[in-house]
């Protein structure tokens, strides 16, 4: 738990193969993987709860990042080398953002999905963690893909994965909790202006609006209102939630929105 720095030297070619080599080294904040490392083994750095930065040498030979290698590490931004061809299940769960060296990778959508997501069953009681997703910048795309960190492993998702036809731009539908699904759908809509995501948010606005008001997520709620995503019933529920939470900013903004709506209606008449 006191380990703060690792010097791998120039002779080691893989970290492992034994599991949990640096398991739960809670003082470790940053590591640099040298160029000769070809494989990072199972659970190698899992549960290093303060590990936020992993750097790879530009001339790296790294080919394989095994199962749960960086599981539950709060990595801020991982730039994966193009040499990585194998990215195993849950290897990067906890990572906030991923991009690629030289804007190139051979990794498939399914590999990326398995690497950054943890699967749970419908019976698992897991608390909601808002905006719990990984942002992936695919090569030659100017907007990121948003993938939930926890997903329900349903028969439909299993079928899509096995067919190899996973559309990562609609993967929000499989997030483990309804609130997270709606939040991610709205983030998707803001990025891509997809009509399906818009319909999804409007359908469940009565859930999302009050939730955002109650946790004080005012900026996202403002965006939701500006996009006219909430029905009159949803607005009223959101107002009640803001009042209970003592969120005076939202209450004032909702009142202003209602005044504008009434003015527009009178003008149209």
């Amino acid at each position: 738990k006191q380990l703060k720095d690792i010097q791998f030297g120039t002779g080691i070619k893989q970290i492992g193969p034994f599991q949990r080599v640096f398991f739960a080294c809670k003082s470790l904040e940053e590591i640099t993987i040298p160029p000769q490392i070809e494989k990072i083994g199972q659970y190698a750095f899992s549960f290093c709860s303060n590990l936020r930065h992993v750097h790879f040498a530009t001339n790296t030979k790294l080919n394989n990042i095994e199962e749960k290698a960086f599981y539950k590490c709060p990595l801020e931004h991982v730039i994966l080398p193009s040499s990585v061809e194998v990215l195993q299940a849950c290897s990067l769960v906890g990572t906030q953002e991923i991009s690629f060296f030289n804007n190139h990778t051979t990794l498939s959508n399914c590999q990326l999905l398995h690497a950054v997501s943890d699967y749970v069953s419908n019976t698992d009681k897991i608390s909601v963690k808002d905006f719990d997703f990984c942002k992936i910048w695919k090569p030659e795309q100017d907007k990121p893909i948003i993938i939930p960190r926890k997903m329900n492993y349903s028969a439909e998702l299993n079928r899509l994965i096995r067919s190899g036809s996973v559309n990562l731009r609609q993967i929000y539908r499989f997030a483990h909790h309804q609130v997270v699904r709606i939040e991610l759908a709205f983030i998707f809509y803001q990025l891509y202006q997809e009509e399906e995501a818009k319909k999804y948010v409007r359908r469940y606005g009565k859930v999302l609006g009050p939730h955002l008001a109650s946790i004080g997520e005012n900026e996202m709620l403002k965006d939701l209102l500006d996009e006219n995503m909430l029905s009159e019933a949803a607005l009223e529920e959101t107002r009640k939630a803001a009042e209970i939470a003592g969120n005076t900013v939202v209450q004032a903004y909702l009142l202003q929105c209602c005044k504008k709506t009434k003015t527009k209606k009178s003008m149209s008449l």
Side-chain angles (χ1 to χ4, degrees), residues 1-3 6 15 18-28 41-49 51 67-73:
K1 292 180 180 179
Q2 304 304 315
L3 184 67
I6 303 170
I15 302 171
F18 304 105
Q19 293 186 13
R20 299 173 171 86
V21 184
F22 298 103
F23 182 89
C25 292
K26 296 183 178 181
S27 296
L28 199 60
Q42 293 182 356
Y43 294 88
F45 297 95
S46 56
F47 293 99
C48 290
S49 55
L51 182 59
E67 181 182 3
K68 296 191 176 182
F70 294 98
Y71 186 68
K72 296 295 180 77
C73 296

Side-chain angles (χ1 to χ4, degrees), residues 36-99:
Q36 80 279 357
I37 298 289
E38 298 173 3
K39 181 168 72 172
I40 301 175
Q42 293 182 356
Y43 294 88
F45 297 95
S46 56
F47 293 99
C48 290
S49 55
N50 286 300
L51 182 59
R52 289 179 168 78
H53 304 284
V54 174
H55 309 288
F56 301 99
T58 54
N59 57 338
T60 182
K61 296 178 181 178
L62 183 65
N63 176 265
N64 188 342
I65 302 178
E66 291 197 337
E67 181 182 3
K68 296 191 176 182
F70 294 98
Y71 186 68
K72 296 295 180 77
C73 296
L75 299 173
E76 293 179 3
H77 186 186
V78 173
I79 304 176
L80 282 177
S82 54
S83 59
V84 175
E85 296 179 345
V86 180
L87 196 59
Q88 294 191 15
C90 300
S91 53
L92 290 169
V93 169
T95 302
Q96 296 177 27
E97 192 168 357
I98 295 174
S99 57

Side-chain angles (χ1 to χ4, degrees), residues 65-215:
I65 302 178
E66 291 197 337
E67 181 182 3
K68 296 191 176 182
F70 294 98
Y71 186 68
K72 296 295 180 77
C73 296
L75 299 173
E76 293 179 3
H77 186 186
V78 173
I79 304 176
L80 282 177
S82 54
S83 59
V84 175
E85 296 179 345
V86 180
L87 196 59
Q88 294 191 15
C90 300
S91 53
L92 290 169
V93 169
T95 302
Q96 296 177 27
E97 192 168 357
I98 295 174
S99 57
F100 303 91
F101 277 179
N102 302 322
N103 207 25
H104 175 73
T105 183
T106 59
L107 295 169
S108 67
N109 282 352
C110 284
Q111 282 182 292
L112 292 169
L113 183 64
H114 283 311
V116 302
S117 294
D118 208 356
Y119 298 103
V120 297
S121 71
N122 290 322
T123 57
D124 290 337
K125 293 183 179 180
I126 300 174
S127 59
V128 178
K129 186 176 179 183
D130 290 278
F131 321 112
D132 198 11
F133 61 84
C134 178
K135 184 185 294 184
I136 300 181
W137 295 88
K138 293 288 295 288
E140 299 177 2
Q141 291 187 4
D142 60 352
K143 294 178 181 178
I145 297 295
I146 306 296
I147 298 181
R149 287 210 190 104
K150 288 188 178 67
M151 293 197 292
N152 288 326
Y153 197 73
S154 63
E156 181 185 359
L157 179 58
N158 186 42
R159 178 179 56 79
L160 289 172
I161 290 173
R162 295 180 70 175
S163 69
S165 59
V166 179
N167 182 354
L168 294 185
R169 287 167 67 165
Q170 294 181 8
I171 206 70
Y172 61 82
R173 296 185 294 120
F174 300 101
H176 80 288
H177 194 282
Q178 185 188 37
V179 167
V180 181
R181 290 194 289 271
I182 308 166
E183 287 173 348
L184 297 189
F186 184 56
I187 292 171
F188 261 91
Y189 175 72
Q190 288 180 303
L191 286 169
Y192 295 101
Q193 299 295 303
E194 288 189 355
E195 194 62 28
E196 184 176 339
K198 182 178 181 178
K199 289 178 181 178
Y200 190 90
V201 176
R202 287 183 66 87
R203 190 182 310 136
Y204 298 108
K206 203 171 181 179
V207 174
L208 183 57
H211 176 73
L212 294 176
S214 64
I215 66 172

